[in-house]
Amino acid sequence: MTLNNDIVLSRLQEKFADGILEAYINFDQLNIEIVPAFAAEILRFLKEDEEMGFNYLTDLTAVHMPEQAGKEIGVVYHLHNLYANYRLRLKAWIPEADPVISTASGIWLGANWMERETYDNFGVRFDGHPDLRRILNVDHMEIFPLLKQYPLEDSSRDDKDDRFFGR
Amino acid sequence: MTEQSIFGEDFLKTEEKQYNTLNLGPTHPATHGVFQNILQMDGEIIMSAEPTIGYIHRAFEKLAERRPFYQVTPITDRLNYCSAPINNIGWHMTVEKLLQVESPKRVDYMRVIIMELARISDHLVCNAVLGVDAGALTGFTYMFQERERIYDMFEELAGARLTTNIGRVGGFERDFTPGFHAKLKDFLAGFPKRFEEFDRLITRNRIFMDRVVNVGPISAEKALSYSFAGPNLRAAGVDYDVRVMNPYCSYQDFDFKIPVGTQGDTFDRFMVRQNEIRESLKIINQAYNNLPEGNFHADCPEFYLPKKEEVYNSMEALIWHFKIVMGEVDLPPGEVYHSVEGANGELGYYLISDGGRTPYRLHFRRPCFIYYQAYPEMIKGQMLSDAILTLSSMNVIAGELDA
């Protein structure tokens, strides 16, 4: 059983003509940007279709790009087909104002905590998640700390001049 | 796993039972780390568990966004601190992949030796401590001596023992020193015999077998669905190993086997680790006997921190030293995912660079974090003492769990 970029991309494009936005290759790995509303369908298809067979969810995380108006937060899925040894990266961009995407925890059990971590850090609400609570940070934290508007150091300090730190 | 207690199927079905709540952790001595589990107990039987994590969360992913690439290495030390060199080298390889730096063959082999030594020390700690939790303290005292020998070797190369910060982007800070060669030869000559003694002491021990067989099992399907990795996945019978699937660091040059289990229980996890130690020894022997000649670092002066002697004596090295230390070297823009087979499984680095001096976003795929979520399911219907052994055999490292 073999899989390659062309097979995966053409199968996805024929099945979800409206769900695929863009595809590009980055360091030999196929990246596909998908419409967030199609996320659950596409992921389920990728897992359950016999030819696709992505039986292993390697990683699920997010990235914040504040300059992309209307699609600031990207939810990133790393999938792996262990039989064909083929890796795929999916991205769905959602607005920071209303960061909702459907959960993958019904497809891979392991997505449960990965989604909780992503919620904890970015505030992405995974629709249909059984137990979406903070996991690493304290429960009463009011911000989502990995968003770029929260600087690492206290921005009110004036004794630290960026010039002296090579920044 | 079906919900079946050791007292038979009907036992769990009794409805009107009052359960006792038991707080296991966060600082329970038997959990080897800061883990809290709120258990609902029916006598000695665990009905449900609710894990709370994050007690040592240090926001590594946020910290990494303000740090130049070589300052991220000490952060990776503190993920799985039982095998820090694997984390360090995995991070260096991620940066090299982004920079498209080709490392010399000698660097690959040196890295393989260091990473397999780290894997041995990690597995030794896990298995020896599993013995302690089952009541066998003797093996632990002997195997910790072996771990000290491995740490002595790291000290020769990096100057540190636990959080090693070993190596550089492109290779190593120094070639194998004469002291390292002597210690490695000594280790390779003496360790197998002492390890087999430990194996004879524990593996077929009746008391130990009674404590670990059929304790905390997980099926292959469940393990895959939970994204298990490493020895825990292989104990369930799935032969997934990054070293074989996506060889890095010239792992394709070496002849070794992937041990797999069948039941996914504590005994299988123990045995998989025992056999991986033997395979790691085989790899180290092959790599050390065929260690290629050549440079111990890649030729990438803008990213490789030069030697101190050169910094003091050559203008060019001084300039690079200054630029690297002050963080004036930008990474090229790009997005890479690189994974290595850590001691606990696939340790992944997802790095997005926007062309600045620090990562724009760095995410660690931490195997512990991902598989620890299956823990409540694995201990349901088991005895409290089995829960301790299950946790111990899963090798959940608090640093890697909480990042």
Side-chain angles (χ1 to χ4, degrees):
Chain A
M1 188 167 136
T2 52
L3 268 185
N4 60 39
N5 297 346
D6 297 336
I7 298 177
V8 173
L9 191 56
S10 61
R11 275 303 298 279
L12 275 177
Q13 274 168 340
E14 105 195 23
K15 184 97 182 160
F16 303 97
D18 305 328
I20 308 294
L21 290 175
E22 199 187 341
Y24 50 91
I25 288 166
N26 206 338
F27 289 94
D28 297 335
Q29 193 169 356
L30 181 63
N31 289 250
I32 299 180
E33 298 198 351
I34 59 174
V35 179
F38 284 82
E41 271 178 76
I42 292 177
L43 291 171
R44 191 167 286 282
F45 170 74
L46 286 172
K47 161 102 190 281
E48 288 173 3
D49 183 72
E50 258 181 41
E51 194 185 3
M52 298 288 111
F54 285 91
N55 54 349
Y56 194 75
L57 175 68
T58 304
D59 197 16
L60 194 165
T61 187
V63 55
H64 186 210
M65 302 254 182
E67 69 279 5
Q68 299 183 14
K71 42 175 199 165
E72 289 94 350
I73 295 178
V75 181
V76 186
Y77 302 85
H78 285 88
L79 309 182
H80 197 166
N81 180 330
L82 292 181
Y83 301 108
N85 191 16
Y86 175 82
R87 289 172 189 267
L88 172 69
R89 185 183 297 139
L90 288 184
K91 269 187 224 157
W93 293 96
I94 52 179
E96 194 185 335
D98 184 27
V100 182
I101 193 164
S102 49
T103 177
S105 56
I107 305 170
W108 295 278
L109 292 172
N112 189 323
W113 277 21
M114 299 190 214
E115 287 181 351
R116 277 181 70 183
E117 189 194 21
T118 308
Y119 165 75
D120 194 357
N121 286 332
F122 291 92
V124 178
R125 293 199 304 281
F126 290 91
D127 196 21
H129 190 284
D131 183 24
L132 198 63
R133 289 179 292 131
R134 287 193 181 270
I135 186 162
L136 292 174
N137 294 304
V138 286
D139 291 339
H140 52 79
M141 187 178 234
E142 285 166 356
I143 61 165
F144 297 108
L146 273 183
L147 296 177
K148 291 283 177 187
Q149 60 264 41
Y150 303 112
L152 186 60
E153 287 166 30
D154 184 357
S155 54
S156 63
R157 283 184 68 168
D158 50 11
D159 56 332
K160 282 189 155 184
D161 190 328
D162 269 0
R163 282 176 302 158
F164 303 136
F165 293 90
R167 298 196 278 256
Chain B
M1 193 185 83
T2 53
E3 291 177 20
Q4 193 179 10
S5 93
I6 53 171
F7 294 121
E9 265 179 47
D10 295 336
F11 187 80
L12 293 179
K13 288 185 184 148
T14 331
E15 294 280 327
E16 297 110 37
K17 283 231 161 90
Q18 277 259 316
Y19 299 137
N20 294 320
T21 305
L22 183 70
N23 240 324
L24 182 67
T27 51
H28 195 280
T31 56
H32 312 294
V34 200
F35 309 104
Q36 188 191 27
N37 275 285
I38 300 167
L39 306 176
Q40 297 297 325
M41 307 281 300
D42 182 2
E44 276 279 296
I45 311 293
I46 294 165
M47 306 309 288
S48 71
E50 159 112 36
T52 310
I53 68 166
Y55 284 97
I56 59 164
H57 178 49
R58 293 145 295 176
F60 282 163
E61 291 175 9
K62 190 76 180 174
L63 284 176
E65 290 176 8
R66 280 304 280 271
R67 288 176 171 231
F69 56 90
Y70 73 95
Q71 289 183 357
V72 175
T73 322
I75 287 184
T76 63
D77 277 332
R78 284 145 183 87
L79 288 172
N80 183 351
Y81 38 72
C82 285
S83 52
I86 302 183
N87 310 345
N88 301 153
I89 292 171
W91 163 244
H92 291 146
M93 283 192 290
T94 311
V95 178
E96 282 166 27
K97 195 169 170 182
L98 181 70
L99 303 173
Q100 295 176 314
V101 169
E102 190 97 6
S103 56
K105 205 78 172 165
R106 185 179 176 86
V107 170
D108 282 359
Y109 278 51
M110 285 171 73
R111 281 180 170 168
V112 164
I113 293 171
I114 297 296
M115 286 197 284
E116 293 306 321
L117 283 173
R119 192 182 319 281
I120 290 176
S121 78
D122 190 288
H123 286 357
L124 276 184
V125 172
C126 178
N127 278 354
V129 168
L130 180 66
V132 172
D133 287 343
L137 195 69
T138 319
F140 169 81
T141 55
Y142 285 97
M143 285 305 106
F144 253 55
Q145 287 180 357
E146 301 307 317
R147 192 184 78 142
E148 290 305 308
R149 281 178 227 268
I150 293 174
Y151 280 7
D152 285 345
M153 286 183 244
F154 295 158
E155 200 176 2
E156 281 284 338
L157 274 190
R161 297 167 69 82
L162 187 73
T163 49
T164 49
N165 195 12
I166 208 167
R168 299 262 192 271
V169 171
F172 282 91
E173 56 270 57
R174 57 178 67 83
D175 207 348
F176 284 168
T177 59
F180 181 91
H181 283 290
K183 281 176 176 144
L184 182 62
K185 277 179 191 148
D186 184 44
F187 179 79
L188 288 175
F191 174 71
K193 187 165 162 283
R194 296 190 289 264
F195 175 67
E196 294 308 328
E197 276 175 12
F198 168 73
D199 191 67
R200 277 202 301 281
L201 186 69
I202 301 270
T203 303
R204 286 278 156 194
N205 185 309
R206 182 57 202 262
I207 305 167
F208 182 73
M209 297 287 281
D210 282 349
R211 289 292 307 276
V212 294
V213 175
N214 263 332
V215 166
I218 189 160
S219 69
E221 292 79 21
K222 269 278 165 64
L224 264 183
S225 183
Y226 270 118
S227 297
F228 269 47
N232 296 344
L233 179 64
R234 293 192 280 275
V238 183
D239 59 343
Y240 173 50
D241 189 320
V242 187
R243 290 176 293 175
V244 177
M245 288 282 247
N246 304 93
Y248 51 92
C249 259
S250 306
Y251 265 109
Q252 67 277 8
D253 295 0
F254 307 113
D255 176 30
F256 62 103
K257 292 195 182 74
I258 304 294
V260 289
T262 50
Q263 306 292 318
D265 60 0
T266 298
F267 181 64
D268 276 1
R269 286 191 283 274
F270 173 82
M271 286 309 286
V272 164
R273 286 203 172 82
Q274 288 289 87
N275 286 320
E276 274 188 19
I277 290 174
R278 297 190 178 100
E279 297 301 321
S280 291
L281 273 174
K282 262 163 64 182
I283 298 173
I284 295 172
N285 272 314
Q286 290 171 46
Y288 189 59
N289 294 334
N290 303 312
L291 195 63
E293 292 299 314
N295 207 344
F296 58 91
H297 64 85
D299 185 24
C300 52
E302 58 274 65
F303 298 101
Y304 177 80
L305 203 62
K307 279 169 130 174
K308 270 287 181 296
E309 302 96 272
E310 290 171 21
V311 174
Y312 292 136
N313 295 310
S314 117
M315 179 56 88
E316 197 195 340
L318 177 68
I319 293 172
W320 285 124
H321 178 90
F322 186 80
K323 289 190 85 158
I324 293 172
V325 170
M326 292 310 286
E328 289 183 15
V329 186
D330 289 342
L331 293 171
E335 182 181 4
V336 291
Y337 176 82
H338 185 73
S339 58
V340 294
E341 180 72 22
N344 282 333
E346 178 171 355
L347 177 69
Y349 302 83
Y350 176 47
L351 168 66
I352 300 177
S353 166
D354 62 346
R357 57 193 279 276
T358 61
Y360 183 80
R361 167 99 177 97
L362 177 62
H363 177 71
F364 303 107
R365 185 220 190 258
R366 312 183 306 281
C368 274
F369 174 77
I370 293 169
Y371 64 60
Y372 184 55
Q373 60 186 308
Y375 180 63
E377 198 177 315
M378 290 162 77
I379 60 170
K380 198 169 181 176
Q382 308 247 334
M383 312 274 272
L384 176 61
S385 51
D386 297 342
I388 302 289
L389 287 187
T390 307
L391 182 67
S392 190
S393 72
M394 282 168 85
N395 199 23
V396 183
I397 307 285
E400 190 172 87
L401 181 73
D402 290 344

